[in-house]
Amino acid sequence: AARAFAAARLAFDGLEAGPPPLGGRTTDSANASGSHRAGALSSYNACREGFVFSNGDSYGVDGVPEFEPATIALLSAASAAARSLFAALERQMQLPAGWFEACFGPLADHSQWHLKRYCPEAAPPHATTADGRRVMLPVHSDPSLLSLVLHDA
């Protein structure tokens, strides 16, 4: 994960210079791959810019040769963690092993991964709590079956 986060930091600095724009195979957000600036797509991304990988897609970023191999390695590790979580849920729920992938399709072909960076300067002035803290990720619903969040701390 550390390699992917380091490569992403370099790639974020060049977002305007060359990563593929968000769109990929379709304009449907569930199947899109590419990059976006803060404020793009929805209010959910008002303070976040990022890279999106859908359904096994990968791509490089000009000037950051380690980006694609590092993100592929991260997505592979995250997929293994997700499979472990699904296996634990299957055991707990007394479902047959592999039930989630049998019902929803292979994880690699039916998943979306994001690398995001917060942009506090993009927060609108009204997005503050009563004690003056900025709200950079608004309340939202998540359509995903499983959300696995890794933070670069």
Side-chain angles (χ1 to χ4, degrees), residues 120-153:
E121 68 282 0
H126 66 274
T128 56
T129 62
D131 61 357
R133 293 185 295 170
R134 287 189 173 168
V135 176
M136 293 193 293
L137 186 59
V139 174
H140 64 282
S141 60
D142 192 338
S144 303
L145 178 62
L146 172 71
S147 291
L148 176 63
V149 180
L150 306 174
H151 286 274
D152 180 16

Short mmCIF file of all heavy atoms in Angstrom, two decimals, residues 120-153:
data_model
loop_
_atom_site.label_atom_id
_atom_site.label_comp_id
_atom_site.label_asym_id
_atom_site.label_seq_id
_atom_site.Cartn_x
_atom_site.Cartn_y
_atom_site.Cartn_z
N PRO A 120 -8.65 20.36 1.25
CA PRO A 120 -9.37 21.21 2.20
C PRO A 120 -9.69 22.59 1.64
O PRO A 120 -10.72 23.17 1.97
CB PRO A 120 -8.43 21.32 3.40
CG PRO A 120 -7.45 20.22 3.25
CD PRO A 120 -7.39 19.87 1.80
N GLU A 121 -8.82 23.11 0.78
CA GLU A 121 -9.06 24.44 0.21
C GLU A 121 -10.31 24.50 -0.66
O GLU A 121 -10.84 25.57 -0.93
CB GLU A 121 -7.83 24.90 -0.59
CG GLU A 121 -7.57 24.13 -1.87
CD GLU A 121 -6.91 22.76 -1.72
OE1 GLU A 121 -6.61 22.34 -0.58
OE2 GLU A 121 -6.70 22.11 -2.75
N ALA A 122 -10.81 23.34 -1.08
CA ALA A 122 -12.00 23.30 -1.93
C ALA A 122 -13.30 23.30 -1.12
O ALA A 122 -14.38 23.40 -1.69
CB ALA A 122 -11.96 22.06 -2.82
N ALA A 123 -13.21 23.19 0.20
CA ALA A 123 -14.41 23.14 1.05
C ALA A 123 -15.16 24.47 0.96
O ALA A 123 -14.57 25.52 1.14
CB ALA A 123 -14.05 22.84 2.49
N PRO A 124 -16.47 24.42 0.68
CA PRO A 124 -17.23 25.67 0.66
C PRO A 124 -17.32 26.27 2.07
O PRO A 124 -17.31 25.53 3.06
CB PRO A 124 -18.61 25.24 0.15
CG PRO A 124 -18.67 23.77 0.32
CD PRO A 124 -17.27 23.26 0.36
N PRO A 125 -17.38 27.58 2.17
CA PRO A 125 -17.39 28.24 3.49
C PRO A 125 -18.53 27.78 4.40
O PRO A 125 -18.38 27.72 5.61
CB PRO A 125 -17.53 29.72 3.17
CG PRO A 125 -17.28 29.87 1.73
CD PRO A 125 -17.44 28.53 1.08
N HIS A 126 -19.67 27.40 3.81
CA HIS A 126 -20.81 26.99 4.63
C HIS A 126 -20.69 25.56 5.15
O HIS A 126 -21.48 25.14 5.98
CB HIS A 126 -22.11 27.16 3.84
CG HIS A 126 -22.20 26.23 2.67
ND1 HIS A 126 -21.66 26.56 1.44
CD2 HIS A 126 -22.73 25.01 2.54
CE1 HIS A 126 -21.87 25.56 0.59
NE2 HIS A 126 -22.51 24.61 1.24
N ALA A 127 -19.70 24.81 4.66
CA ALA A 127 -19.54 23.41 5.07
C ALA A 127 -18.70 23.31 6.34
O ALA A 127 -17.58 22.82 6.33
CB ALA A 127 -18.92 22.60 3.94
N THR A 128 -19.25 23.81 7.44
CA THR A 128 -18.55 23.76 8.72
C THR A 128 -19.49 23.27 9.80
O THR A 128 -20.71 23.43 9.71
CB THR A 128 -18.00 25.15 9.13
OG1 THR A 128 -19.07 26.07 9.15
CG2 THR A 128 -16.94 25.63 8.15
N THR A 129 -18.92 22.68 10.81
CA THR A 129 -19.71 22.21 11.94
C THR A 129 -19.92 23.37 12.91
O THR A 129 -19.32 24.44 12.76
CB THR A 129 -18.98 21.06 12.67
OG1 THR A 129 -17.73 21.56 13.17
CG2 THR A 129 -18.74 19.88 11.75
N ALA A 130 -20.75 23.15 13.92
CA ALA A 130 -21.04 24.20 14.90
C ALA A 130 -19.77 24.68 15.61
O ALA A 130 -19.67 25.84 16.01
CB ALA A 130 -22.06 23.70 15.92
N ASP A 131 -18.78 23.78 15.74
CA ASP A 131 -17.54 24.18 16.41
C ASP A 131 -16.46 24.65 15.43
O ASP A 131 -15.29 24.77 15.79
CB ASP A 131 -17.02 23.07 17.32
CG ASP A 131 -16.69 21.79 16.58
OD1 ASP A 131 -16.93 21.72 15.34
OD2 ASP A 131 -16.20 20.85 17.21
N GLY A 132 -16.85 24.90 14.18
CA GLY A 132 -15.93 25.51 13.21
C GLY A 132 -15.08 24.56 12.39
O GLY A 132 -14.25 25.02 11.61
N ARG A 133 -15.28 23.27 12.50
CA ARG A 133 -14.49 22.33 11.70
C ARG A 133 -15.10 22.18 10.32
O ARG A 133 -16.31 22.23 10.15
CB ARG A 133 -14.40 20.97 12.40
CG ARG A 133 -13.58 21.05 13.68
CD ARG A 133 -13.39 19.71 14.31
NE ARG A 133 -14.68 19.20 14.74
CZ ARG A 133 -14.90 17.97 15.17
NH1 ARG A 133 -13.92 17.10 15.20
NH2 ARG A 133 -16.09 17.59 15.56
N ARG A 134 -14.24 21.97 9.32
CA ARG A 134 -14.70 21.80 7.94
C ARG A 134 -15.27 20.40 7.72
O ARG A 134 -14.72 19.41 8.22
CB ARG A 134 -13.57 22.01 6.95
CG ARG A 134 -13.19 23.44 6.82
CD ARG A 134 -12.23 23.60 5.68
NE ARG A 134 -12.00 25.01 5.47
CZ ARG A 134 -11.06 25.50 4.72
NH1 ARG A 134 -10.25 24.69 4.09
NH2 ARG A 134 -10.93 26.80 4.58
N VAL A 135 -16.32 20.32 6.93
CA VAL A 135 -16.90 19.04 6.53
C VAL A 135 -16.40 18.78 5.11
O VAL A 135 -16.77 19.49 4.18
CB VAL A 135 -18.44 19.08 6.56
CG1 VAL A 135 -19.02 17.77 6.04
CG2 VAL A 135 -18.93 19.39 7.96
N MET A 136 -15.54 17.76 4.97
CA MET A 136 -14.98 17.49 3.65
C MET A 136 -15.55 16.23 3.00
O MET A 136 -15.27 15.96 1.85
CB MET A 136 -13.46 17.41 3.74
CG MET A 136 -12.85 18.76 4.10
SD MET A 136 -11.09 18.84 3.87
CE MET A 136 -10.52 17.73 5.13
N LEU A 137 -16.33 15.47 3.72
CA LEU A 137 -16.99 14.31 3.14
C LEU A 137 -18.42 14.31 3.66
O LEU A 137 -18.67 13.93 4.81
CB LEU A 137 -16.28 13.01 3.53
CG LEU A 137 -16.79 11.75 2.86
CD1 LEU A 137 -16.69 11.83 1.34
CD2 LEU A 137 -16.02 10.54 3.37
N PRO A 138 -19.37 14.78 2.85
CA PRO A 138 -20.74 14.91 3.33
C PRO A 138 -21.39 13.56 3.60
O PRO A 138 -20.94 12.52 3.10
CB PRO A 138 -21.44 15.64 2.19
CG PRO A 138 -20.63 15.34 0.97
CD PRO A 138 -19.22 15.17 1.44
N VAL A 139 -22.44 13.60 4.37
CA VAL A 139 -23.24 12.39 4.61
C VAL A 139 -23.69 11.87 3.25
O VAL A 139 -24.07 12.63 2.35
CB VAL A 139 -24.47 12.74 5.49
CG1 VAL A 139 -25.38 11.54 5.62
CG2 VAL A 139 -24.00 13.24 6.85
N HIS A 140 -23.63 10.57 3.08
CA HIS A 140 -23.98 9.98 1.79
C HIS A 140 -24.41 8.53 1.98
O HIS A 140 -24.14 7.93 3.01
CB HIS A 140 -22.78 10.04 0.84
CG HIS A 140 -21.62 9.22 1.32
ND1 HIS A 140 -20.78 9.66 2.33
CD2 HIS A 140 -21.16 8.01 0.94
CE1 HIS A 140 -19.85 8.74 2.55
NE2 HIS A 140 -20.07 7.72 1.72
N SER A 141 -25.08 8.01 0.98
CA SER A 141 -25.38 6.58 0.95
C SER A 141 -24.34 5.93 0.05
O SER A 141 -23.74 6.57 -0.80
CB SER A 141 -26.80 6.32 0.43
OG SER A 141 -26.91 6.84 -0.88
N ASP A 142 -24.09 4.68 0.27
CA ASP A 142 -23.09 3.96 -0.51
C ASP A 142 -23.76 2.76 -1.17
O ASP A 142 -24.28 1.89 -0.47
CB ASP A 142 -21.96 3.52 0.41
CG ASP A 142 -20.75 3.03 -0.35
OD1 ASP A 142 -20.88 2.65 -1.52
OD2 ASP A 142 -19.66 3.03 0.23
N PRO A 143 -23.76 2.71 -2.50
CA PRO A 143 -24.45 1.61 -3.19
C PRO A 143 -23.65 0.31 -3.21
O PRO A 143 -24.13 -0.69 -3.71
CB PRO A 143 -24.63 2.16 -4.60
CG PRO A 143 -23.45 3.07 -4.78
CD PRO A 143 -23.22 3.69 -3.42
N SER A 144 -22.45 0.31 -2.65
CA SER A 144 -21.58 -0.86 -2.73
C SER A 144 -22.04 -1.97 -1.79
O SER A 144 -22.59 -1.71 -0.72
CB SER A 144 -20.15 -0.48 -2.35
OG SER A 144 -19.68 0.55 -3.19
N LEU A 145 -21.77 -3.19 -2.19
CA LEU A 145 -22.01 -4.34 -1.32
C LEU A 145 -21.03 -4.31 -0.16
O LEU A 145 -21.37 -4.64 0.96
CB LEU A 145 -21.85 -5.62 -2.14
CG LEU A 145 -22.03 -6.94 -1.40
CD1 LEU A 145 -23.44 -7.04 -0.84
CD2 LEU A 145 -21.74 -8.11 -2.32
N LEU A 146 -19.79 -3.88 -0.43
CA LEU A 146 -18.74 -3.83 0.58
C LEU A 146 -17.86 -2.63 0.29
O LEU A 146 -17.47 -2.41 -0.86
CB LEU A 146 -17.89 -5.11 0.52
CG LEU A 146 -16.64 -5.17 1.38
CD1 LEU A 146 -17.02 -5.27 2.86
CD2 LEU A 146 -15.77 -6.34 0.97
N SER A 147 -17.56 -1.84 1.30
CA SER A 147 -16.60 -0.74 1.17
C SER A 147 -15.42 -1.04 2.08
O SER A 147 -15.58 -1.22 3.28
CB SER A 147 -17.22 0.59 1.57
OG SER A 147 -18.21 0.98 0.65
N LEU A 148 -14.26 -1.12 1.50
CA LEU A 148 -13.02 -1.37 2.22
C LEU A 148 -12.19 -0.10 2.09
O LEU A 148 -11.86 0.31 1.00
CB LEU A 148 -12.29 -2.56 1.58
CG LEU A 148 -10.94 -2.95 2.13
CD1 LEU A 148 -11.05 -3.38 3.58
CD2 LEU A 148 -10.35 -4.08 1.29
N VAL A 149 -11.90 0.55 3.20
CA VAL A 149 -11.21 1.84 3.19
C VAL A 149 -9.83 1.68 3.81
O VAL A 149 -9.69 1.23 4.94
CB VAL A 149 -12.01 2.90 3.96
CG1 VAL A 149 -11.29 4.24 3.96
CG2 VAL A 149 -13.41 3.04 3.39
N LEU A 150 -8.80 2.05 3.04
CA LEU A 150 -7.42 2.04 3.50
C LEU A 150 -6.96 3.50 3.54
O LEU A 150 -7.11 4.21 2.56
CB LEU A 150 -6.52 1.26 2.56
CG LEU A 150 -6.94 -0.16 2.23
CD1 LEU A 150 -6.04 -0.76 1.17
CD2 LEU A 150 -6.90 -1.01 3.49
N HIS A 151 -6.36 3.92 4.64
CA HIS A 151 -5.89 5.30 4.78
C HIS A 151 -4.39 5.33 4.76
O HIS A 151 -3.72 4.48 5.35
CB HIS A 151 -6.41 5.92 6.07
CG HIS A 151 -7.84 6.27 6.04
ND1 HIS A 151 -8.30 7.46 5.54
CD2 HIS A 151 -8.93 5.57 6.41
CE1 HIS A 151 -9.62 7.49 5.63
NE2 HIS A 151 -10.03 6.35 6.15
N ASP A 152 -3.86 6.34 4.09
CA ASP A 152 -2.42 6.62 4.10
C ASP A 152 -2.17 7.54 5.28
O ASP A 152 -2.40 8.73 5.20
CB ASP A 152 -2.02 7.28 2.79
CG ASP A 152 -0.54 7.61 2.73
OD1 ASP A 152 0.22 7.06 3.55
OD2 ASP A 152 -0.16 8.41 1.88
N ALA A 153 -1.77 6.98 6.41
CA ALA A 153 -1.63 7.78 7.62
C ALA A 153 -0.20 8.22 7.84
O ALA A 153 0.74 7.62 7.50
CB ALA A 153 -2.08 6.98 8.82
#
